[in-house]
Amino acid sequence: MKSKDAVRAENSLREFILEEYSDDDNERDRINLYKYKGLTLTIAWEANVDPNFKVGILAFEASFKIETGQKIEGGLQDYDVSVIQKWAKQSVNKTLLMRVWMNEAREKKEVKLKPFDMM
């Protein structure tokens, strides 16, 4: 069972992506929710490693720092990197991610969020 913070993070990311597409008429017409159907956000706790998370979309994956939203490594498409960074830099999301990393991931070693699984 996921914590309240993990569920809030899933909901926040899903709604942010949908809002990003709905704000742009050209993108809204081209949105491919099937692309995001398998989106995963993984928060893994490791000692002596800066808090980070990984996002997987289709066959692509990238890692981001929780504190700054900066991409560490990986190969997501530029648009997806931009959306994830904008979402991660919002203070409420940064706080959620940090709480999941500190509390839930530390205990379980890895927490996997799937924001579009309920659609």
Side-chain angles (χ1 to χ4, degrees), residues 41-44 50-54 63-70 72 88-90 93-102:
L41 188 148
T42 305
I43 304 168
D50 287 337
N52 66 83
F53 63 95
K54 292 180 183 174
S63 299
F64 300 84
K65 289 183 179 182
I66 291 176
E67 186 63 33
T68 63
Q70 174 187 7
I72 301 168
K89 288 179 181 178
Q90 293 180 347
N93 297 325
K94 194 183 307 186
T95 300
L96 284 172
L97 290 169
M98 188 58 83
R99 284 200 310 234
V100 172
W101 188 81
M102 290 284 293

Side-chain angles (χ1 to χ4, degrees), residues 13-108:
L13 180 55
R14 181 181 60 253
E15 294 194 14
F16 187 83
I17 288 172
L18 292 173
E19 284 176 21
E20 281 294 300
Y21 274 107
S22 68
D23 287 344
D24 183 331
D25 290 336
N26 294 329
E27 289 297 325
R28 183 177 45 233
D29 292 340
R30 295 186 336 212
I31 189 170
N32 181 356
L33 284 180
Y34 292 109
K35 169 183 173 182
Y36 294 107
K37 181 72 172 149
L39 182 146
T40 58
L41 188 148
T42 305
I43 304 168
W45 189 89
E46 296 178 54
N48 303 316
V49 174
D50 287 337
N52 66 83
F53 63 95
K54 292 180 183 174
V55 174
I57 300 173
L58 299 173
F60 304 100
E61 185 177 84
S63 299
F64 300 84
K65 289 183 179 182
I66 291 176
E67 186 63 33
T68 63
Q70 174 187 7
K71 185 176 98 168
I72 301 168
E73 64 181 357
L76 288 179
Q77 294 178 342
D78 290 343
Y79 181 78
D80 293 325
V81 168
S82 173
V83 168
I84 296 300
Q85 287 177 323
K86 283 169 58 176
W87 172 79
K89 288 179 181 178
Q90 293 180 347
S91 63
V92 67
N93 297 325
K94 194 183 307 186
T95 300
L96 284 172
L97 290 169
M98 188 58 83
R99 284 200 310 234
V100 172
W101 188 81
M102 290 284 293
N103 300 327
E104 200 168 346
R106 179 175 270 175
E107 180 182 313
K108 296 179 183 178

